[in-house]
């Protein structure tokens, strides 16, 4: 299987999905079809938005939406832990993966904002 080598954030999101989906598919029925599906849909939407941002001229709005999706995913993952649907060790690993994507998205947002607002040149007398 060929790995995406041009944008690390897309590859990290892909890896996050590969890790999360099997876990979510094993949730008890009463959680799988509400929380599990929401989380899976959010993960797939995150990946789709990152791919869209890659090709968009105006990336910041899409990337900020990705940041929001990541925060929702963090809260949902915390619910998994509080409902005792995952062990603390898995929660910590999920947090590590999610934060890795978040760092990449945050860096991309910062880069795009710097591109959008060029530095102010100081006039010399």
């Amino acid at each position: 299987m060929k790995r995406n080598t041009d944008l690390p954030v897309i590859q990290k999101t892909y890896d996050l999905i590969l890790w999360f989906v099997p876990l979510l598919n094993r949730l008890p029925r009463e959680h799988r079809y509400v929380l599990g599906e929401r989380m899976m849909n959010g993960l797939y939407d995150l990946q789709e938005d990152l791919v869209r941002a890659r090709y968009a001229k105006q990336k910041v709005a899409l990337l900020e939406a990705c940041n929001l999706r990541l925060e929702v995913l963090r809260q949902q993952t915390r619910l998994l832990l509080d409902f005792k649907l995952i062990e603390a060790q898995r929660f910590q690993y999920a947090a590590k993966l999610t934060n890795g994507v978040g760092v990449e998205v945050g860096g991309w947002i910062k880069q795009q904002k710097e591109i959008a607002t060029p530095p102010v040149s100081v006039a010399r007398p």
Side-chain angles (χ1 to χ4, degrees):
M1 172 175 23
K2 186 177 185 289
R3 292 176 66 93
N4 187 342
T5 56
D6 51 353
L7 277 182
V9 68
I10 292 174
Q11 183 60 51
K12 286 182 179 188
T13 303
Y14 183 89
D15 294 340
L16 181 65
I17 291 168
L18 283 179
W19 184 84
F20 246 122
V21 168
L23 182 140
L24 295 171
N25 281 330
R26 290 190 306 267
L27 291 176
R29 184 178 183 161
E30 63 270 16
H31 294 287
R32 186 179 333 134
Y33 296 109
V34 179
L35 182 57
E37 277 192 20
R38 283 180 182 232
M39 291 179 76
M40 277 192 266
N41 289 336
L43 285 162
Y44 293 133
D45 289 344
L46 172 64
Q47 182 182 39
E48 185 177 318
D49 286 348
L50 288 170
V51 171
R52 286 179 194 279
R54 178 179 180 196
Y55 294 100
K57 290 185 189 230
Q58 302 296 323
K59 300 176 185 320
V60 175
L62 280 168
L63 294 172
E64 287 175 344
C66 290
N67 242 358
L68 179 58
R69 286 189 195 282
L70 283 168
E71 184 56 32
V72 170
L73 180 64
R74 286 182 185 102
Q75 295 299 316
Q76 291 168 331
T77 305
R78 201 169 129 212
L79 282 171
L80 291 177
L81 179 68
D82 291 343
F83 284 140
K84 299 183 182 356
L85 299 169
I86 60 172
E87 306 86 27
Q89 188 175 7
R90 285 184 184 252
F91 172 78
Q92 290 171 348
Y93 187 71
K96 178 182 169 186
L97 292 177
T98 305
N99 287 339
V101 173
V103 167
E104 294 283 337
V105 171
W108 198 3
I109 290 171
K110 182 179 178 186
Q111 176 213 32
Q112 290 302 307
K113 286 183 175 180
E114 287 172 359
I115 290 171
T117 55
V120 177
S121 61
V122 178
R124 293 188 173 188

